[in-house]
Coordinates of all heavy atoms in Angstrom, one line a residue:
V27 N -11.6 13.2 -4.1 CA -11.9 12.1 -3.4 C -10.7 11.3 -2.8 O -9.7 11.1 -3.6 CB -12.8 11.1 -4.2 CG1 -13.0 9.8 -3.4 CG2 -14.1 11.7 -4.6
L30 N -10.3 5.6 0.9 CA -9.5 4.7 2.0 C -10.0 3.3 1.8 O -9.2 2.4 2.2 CB -9.7 5.2 3.4 CG -9.2 6.7 3.6 CD1 -9.4 7.1 5.0 CD2 -7.7 6.8 3.2
R121 N -7.2 11.6 18.1 CA -6.2 12.0 17.1 C -6.9 12.1 15.7 O -6.6 13.0 14.9 CB -5.2 10.9 17.1 CG -4.1 11.1 16.0 CD -4.4 10.2 14.8 NE -3.4 10.2 13.8 CZ -3.6 9.8 12.5 NH1 -4.9 9.4 12.1 NH2 -2.7 9.9 11.6
L144 N -0.6 17.6 6.4 CA -0.6 16.7 7.5 C 0.8 16.6 8.2 O 0.9 16.5 9.4 CB -1.2 15.3 7.1 CG -2.6 15.3 6.7 CD1 -3.0 13.9 6.1 CD2 -3.5 15.7 7.9
A153 N 3.0 6.2 2.7 CA 2.9 6.7 1.4 C 1.8 6.2 0.5 O 1.3 6.9 -0.4 CB 4.3 6.6 0.7
E198 N 8.3 5.7 -14.0 CA 7.6 4.7 -13.2 C 8.1 4.9 -11.7 O 7.3 4.9 -10.8 CB 7.9 3.3 -13.6 CG 7.2 2.3 -12.8 CD 7.5 0.9 -13.3 OE1 8.1 0.7 -14.4 OE2 7.2 -0.1 -12.5
A199 N 9.4 5.1 -11.5 CA 9.9 5.3 -10.1 C 9.4 6.6 -9.5 O 9.1 6.7 -8.3 CB 11.4 5.2 -10.2
L200 N 9.4 7.7 -10.3 CA 9.0 9.0 -9.8 C 7.5 8.9 -9.4 O 7.1 9.6 -8.4 CB 9.2 10.1 -10.9 CG 10.6 10.6 -11.0 CD1 10.7 11.4 -12.3 CD2 10.9 11.4 -9.8
L216 N 22.4 14.8 -8.5 CA 21.9 15.9 -7.7 C 22.7 16.0 -6.3 O 22.5 17.0 -5.6 CB 20.4 15.8 -7.4 CG 19.5 16.0 -8.7 CD1 18.1 15.7 -8.3 CD2 19.7 17.3 -9.3
S241 N -2.0 22.2 -17.2 CA -2.0 22.0 -18.7 C -3.2 21.2 -19.2 O -3.8 21.5 -20.2 CB -0.7 21.2 -19.2 OG -0.7 19.9 -18.7
E252 N -15.4 32.1 -20.9 CA -16.4 32.7 -21.8 C -17.8 32.3 -21.4 O -18.7 33.1 -21.5 CB -16.1 32.2 -23.3 CG -17.0 32.5 -24.3 CD -17.2 34.1 -24.5 OE1 -16.3 34.8 -24.1 OE2 -18.2 34.5 -25.1
L257 N -23.4 32.9 -19.5 CA -24.4 32.1 -18.7 C -25.7 32.7 -18.8 O -26.0 33.9 -18.4 CB -23.9 32.0 -17.3 CG -24.8 31.2 -16.3 CD1 -25.0 29.8 -16.7 CD2 -24.4 31.4 -14.9
V295 N 9.6 29.0 -11.4 CA 10.7 28.7 -10.5 C 11.3 27.3 -10.8 O 12.5 27.1 -10.9 CB 10.4 28.9 -9.0 CG1 11.5 28.4 -8.1 CG2 9.9 30.3 -8.7
L361 N -21.6 31.3 -8.4 CA -20.6 32.5 -8.4 C -20.0 32.7 -7.0 O -18.8 32.9 -6.9 CB -21.4 33.7 -8.9 CG -21.8 33.7 -10.3 CD1 -22.6 34.9 -10.7 CD2 -20.6 33.6 -11.3

Side-chain angles (χ1 to χ4, degrees):
V27 176
L30 299 180
R121 177 262 185 200
L144 291 173
E198 184 182 345
L200 279 168
L216 296 173
S241 67
E252 176 61 19
L257 174 66
V295 175
L361 292 172

